[in-house]
Amino acid sequence: MSSPDPLSPGDYRALARFRYALRVFLRFSEDAARSAGVTPAHHQLMLAVKGWDGAGPPTISDLADRLQLKLHSTVELVRRAADAGLVTTAADEADARRQLVALTPHGESILASLSLQHREELRRFRTEMVDVLDELA
Amino acid sequence: MSSPDPLSPGDYRALARFRYALRVFLRFSEDAARSAGVTPAHHQLMLAVKGWDGAGPPTISDLADRLQLKLHSTVELVRRAADAGLVTTAADEADARRQLVALTPHGESILASLSLQHREELRRFRTEMVDVLDELA
């Protein structure tokens, strides 16, 4: 096995720029969520529900995987988001031990507004991101 | 001003995939830092120092901006990283109120190893990232 090509000053600058761009994006995202009246965690939960690409609605353990959270943390997050009127849960008819999660109309509406802002921000972000990733390629 | 094009199911899936990819990357990064014996915050501080693209070494307030931290949090972070032998600080000869931050040889060595791993991970990550950003474009 050959050793990897050594790191150049440009590699370090690109890695640092990448992390800075991520931080600016995450800051934007957290501020946008709070301005829409939800916590960043509730926003991410709603996005994971709406963006779920499996057959049928996601279960709580599907969401735990997507959010990279422990199951008990996800259960608690879903409970708080349900209390806030953003999501509903229902037992899976095929397996009553599984809880399926869906958005309420209120959750749909907030997520749509946040998603438009995020799509816009990511369109701006794309150029910077691709530039930096190309420098490291 | 025209209203933005409406969000498609594919837009929601792309936004969700983007965040999932970020979480997996950030998890990788935190685990890599801890395996190298440093905290994720110390790793990010070292990267911001080494990747600094200004003339001369960065000041603590330069680093606060890059790390998106408050100044007093950055002062504290630099102090702990200095205690851990990763960075050194020195008064700027041009303005003694400014503290310049540099890496120690120990910090350089840990950062080099972490940066090789991150460059590799970001090369893998690039395809997924660019795909998703293209879907939103």
Side-chain angles (χ1 to χ4, degrees), chain A residues 5 23 119 126 134, chain B residues 5 23 44 119 126 134:
Chain A
D5 50 319
R23 272 178 216 117
R119 189 178 61 180
R126 184 184 183 290
D134 282 348
Chain B
D5 50 320
R23 273 178 216 116
Q44 291 308 305
R119 188 178 62 179
R126 184 185 183 290
D134 282 348

Side-chain angles (χ1 to χ4, degrees), chain A:
Chain A
M1 215 175 90
S2 63
S3 57
D5 50 319
L7 291 156
S8 68
D11 284 338
Y12 284 110
R13 283 195 300 269
L15 288 167
R17 275 177 61 202
F18 179 76
R19 292 308 282 255
Y20 178 64
L22 281 194
R23 272 178 216 117
V24 170
F25 171 73
L26 292 171
R27 168 72 64 96
F28 153 82
S29 181
E30 290 169 10
D31 289 348
R34 291 195 190 96
S35 296
V38 297
T39 67
H42 287 174
H43 171 218
Q44 291 309 304
L45 171 66
M46 293 193 289
L47 179 60
V49 170
K50 182 80 176 179
W52 175 245
D53 52 7
T59 64
I60 290 182
S61 59
D62 292 331
L63 295 168
D65 172 63
R66 289 307 162 95
L67 297 170
Q68 299 270 291
L69 293 175
K70 293 195 194 306
L71 191 60
H72 68 85
S73 306
T74 312
V75 168
E76 182 56 23
L77 176 62
V78 168
R79 195 189 61 70
R80 290 194 312 266
D83 287 349
L86 302 170
V87 303
T88 54
T89 57
D92 186 350
E93 291 186 6
D95 178 351
R97 290 164 305 181
R98 289 152 46 106
Q99 290 282 313
L100 303 177
V101 183
L103 298 186
T104 63
H106 178 55
E108 287 272 0
S109 159
I110 291 177
L111 181 64
S113 159
L114 282 171
S115 295
L116 280 172
Q117 294 172 57
H118 279 73
R119 189 178 61 180
E120 198 55 35
E121 181 72 7
L122 285 176
R123 284 173 178 171
R124 276 196 291 275
F125 185 62
R126 184 184 183 290
T127 313
E128 167 73 358
M129 209 62 162
V130 171
D131 273 7
V132 169
L133 291 170
D134 282 348
E135 280 176 40
L136 292 169

Side-chain angles (χ1 to χ4, degrees), chain B residues 32-46:
Chain B
R34 292 194 190 97
S35 295
V38 297
T39 67
H42 287 173
H43 171 218
Q44 291 308 305
L45 171 65
M46 291 193 289

Side-chain angles (χ1 to χ4, degrees), chain A residues 16-28 128, chain B residues 44-45 47-49 51-54 58-75 77-78 99 101:
Chain A
R17 275 177 61 202
F18 179 76
R19 292 308 282 255
Y20 178 64
L22 281 194
R23 272 178 216 117
V24 170
F25 171 73
L26 292 171
R27 168 72 64 96
F28 153 82
E128 167 73 358
Chain B
Q44 291 308 305
L45 171 65
L47 179 60
V49 170
W52 175 246
D53 52 7
T59 64
I60 290 182
S61 58
D62 292 331
L63 295 169
D65 172 63
R66 289 308 163 94
L67 297 170
Q68 299 271 289
L69 293 175
K70 293 194 193 307
L71 191 60
H72 67 86
S73 306
T74 312
V75 168
L77 176 62
V78 168
Q99 290 282 313
V101 184

